[in-house]
Amino acid sequence: MIETRPFRVPTRVVMAPGCLARLPEVVAGYHPDRILMVTDSGIEETGWPERIWKALAEREIEAITFDGVEPNPRTTTVDKLAGWGREEGVSLVLGIGGGSVLDAAKAAAMMIPNGGPKDLKVLEEQWATPPSVEDVSVAQFEGRNRYEKEPLPFIAVPTTCGTGSEVTWVSVLTDEARQAKISVKGETMYPAWALVDCELLRTLPGHLVAWTGADALTHAVEAFTCRLANPISDALATTAISLLFRYLRRAAADIAGDAEAREAVMRASTLAGLAFGNADVAAVHCLSETLGGRWDVPHGLANAALLAPVTRFNLPASTRKLADLESALPPGSRPGAEGVLQAIDELVRDLAIPPFRELGISPEDYLWIAERAVGNGSNPSNAREMGVAEYLAVLESL
């Protein structure tokens, strides 16, 4: 029997141009002693973190900043971040950035109260070989609800149109020792607040608008076609798909000047996050997360390159469901599932997404990739049953 999940959105979501101005008020409501602001070097250069820091300071809220989050964030980075936050006595975590930043910050908010030597007894109960103090890592919390103590309040401010992490319970991290991406999930890891302000997209380069927007499209298509789809996630996914087909080209061409497109793709990203966060992703992510874990391929780029071929491979199991997306297609599109596939192909082409063969992955590694993809936690959710042979067939078709 296919699992039936209750639809859940505990995050307070504010979605409006300029809503970042509410951040000091939201933060002040928690009466924090000190907050940890997590970002990356690229966002730091835009000046947004500096503006936030000054706005908080005006309310006498002290913030310390970590801007060392890399694309495909490492477990070691989260361990370092959580250790610093613990030492500094922070009581709230703020993430401002794309999916990598939000996932790292989300995990750190969980780890600050759950890591360190004071929690060794808890870890001893979970692992046969008790870890030493220095062995306590976020990687040891892989899976669902493996932690004991409530995470710190976490506020998410997305700066791309692709993550969805601002409304999900999962943090996806790279474990370099295993050359794999892992998922750390928790019912209390949802952000407390998400301030979804499309004005933060003004400084996003066009190619990143394209890649992250394609990531959002992948979230929506997989949420709609996966085995855990439900009527609420379907409604959200359909709206996100319609917005992205209509506006993503315009946003990638002129994100700073096209206010209508800017707001539309930001809205689509969060709606897609709500969809897959309450359904699941599927085979595209099983492959893209495998590529990111070993070759550090940008997540949005990998999804963009794989979405059309994997969706086409799934057609025998998803034709009827894809046909239901006709209402989301641009005017003049072909009817049925083939029309959806054509619309995806044309959008990826128009966004100048590099084909898979240009990602530098050797065919000699296809078997390794296929085996890892099968082991991904989202593989059972794919519309079509996928074993090693099926993943190899997809990869060899590329």
Side-chain angles (χ1 to χ4, degrees):
M1 179 179 177
I2 297 175
E3 177 186 358
T4 301
R5 295 179 178 176
F7 193 92
R8 188 177 180 212
V9 191
T11 303
R12 297 183 180 185
V13 183
V14 183
M15 189 186 303
C19 69
L20 185 62
R22 291 190 57 181
L23 181 62
E25 170 195 350
V26 170
V27 171
Y30 289 91
H31 308 288
D33 298 322
R34 177 180 289 179
I35 76 168
L36 173 59
M37 183 161 59
V38 183
T39 187
D40 63 38
S41 57
I43 298 299
E44 189 74 39
E45 291 175 1
T46 67
W48 287 112
E50 177 69 15
R51 291 181 223 179
I52 291 172
W53 185 87
K54 289 180 178 178
L56 293 172
E58 289 177 0
R59 285 187 173 242
E60 299 183 347
I61 298 171
E62 183 181 358
I64 59 174
T65 303
F66 180 93
D67 65 358
V69 178
E70 63 275 273
N72 297 313
R74 314 298 197 253
T75 56
T76 50
T77 299
V78 171
D79 294 340
K80 175 182 176 183
L81 178 57
W84 187 47
R86 198 178 302 119
E87 291 173 3
E88 294 293 330
V90 302
S91 56
L92 182 146
V93 178
L94 166 65
I96 172 168
S100 295
V101 166
L102 298 186
D103 281 5
K106 187 185 299 180
M110 181 277 290
M111 280 293 292
I112 289 171
N114 284 286
K118 62 182 179 298
D119 294 305
L120 283 179
K121 183 178 180 181
V122 176
L123 294 172
E124 286 172 1
E125 295 172 357
Q126 296 180 0
W127 288 278
T129 303
S132 63
V133 171
E134 57 270 23
D135 286 336
V136 180
S137 167
V138 68
Q140 293 166 314
F141 294 88
E142 180 181 4
R144 298 184 180 189
N145 301 314
R146 298 292 300 276
Y147 54 90
E148 181 183 61
K149 298 181 180 179
E150 188 88 2
L152 296 184
F154 170 49
I155 298 172
V157 179
T159 62
T160 69
C161 50
T163 170
S165 184
E166 69 274 12
V167 288
T168 72
W169 68 325
V170 61
S171 169
V172 180
L173 307 169
T174 297
D175 187 335
E176 289 184 287
R178 292 161 52 191
Q179 293 186 319
K181 286 199 172 186
I182 65 169
S183 294
V184 178
K185 301 178 180 180
E187 291 290 342
T188 53
M189 284 179 62
Y190 285 92
W193 287 79
L195 300 182
V196 185
D197 186 346
C198 65
E199 296 306 298
L200 275 74
L201 296 182
R202 286 179 174 272
T203 54
L204 195 65
H207 75 281
L208 291 182
V209 175
W211 294 2
T212 60
D215 186 23
L217 181 64
T218 305
H219 291 156
V221 170
E222 292 208 297
F224 189 82
T225 57
C226 80
R227 297 184 183 192
L228 295 180
N230 58 74
I232 304 175
S233 65
D234 280 357
L236 293 164
T238 301
T239 301
I241 292 166
S242 177
L243 288 169
L244 291 165
F245 276 146
R246 183 175 178 183
Y247 290 104
L248 183 53
R249 291 175 179 84
R250 284 170 48 181
D254 184 16
I255 193 65
D258 193 331
E260 183 181 26
R262 187 169 62 244
E263 184 175 0
V265 297
M266 191 63 140
R267 187 187 320 138
S269 175
T270 298
L271 295 179
L274 289 167
F276 86 81
N278 282 280
D280 200 0
V281 288
V284 177
H285 275 76
C286 295
L287 288 168
S288 65
E289 289 178 1
T290 300
L291 300 180
R294 178 170 172 181
W295 289 277
D296 213 23
V297 179
H299 182 66
L301 172 59
N303 278 343
L306 290 163
L307 177 57
V310 173
T311 304
R312 184 170 294 280
F313 188 83
N314 279 335
L315 204 54
S318 59
T319 298
R320 183 176 300 177
K321 196 68 188 285
L322 283 174
D324 290 340
L325 286 174
E326 276 191 33
S327 62
L329 296 179
S333 297
R334 290 176 60 182
E338 283 297 332
V340 177
L341 287 167
Q342 181 179 339
I344 294 172
D345 279 329
E346 291 175 351
L347 179 59
V348 168
R349 180 199 65 205
D350 293 347
L351 294 175
I353 303 293
F356 180 83
R357 62 179 177 273
E358 293 184 14
L359 300 185
I361 310 299
S362 170
E364 295 178 357
D365 292 309
Y366 285 178
L367 178 59
W368 185 91
I369 295 169
E371 291 171 344
R372 290 295 184 99
V374 169
N376 189 290
S378 293
N379 186 50
S381 298
N382 195 62
R384 180 176 180 178
E385 188 171 339
M386 298 290 285
V388 171
E390 285 73 24
Y391 278 111
L392 278 173
V394 171
L395 291 167
E396 289 167 356
S397 75
L398 300 173

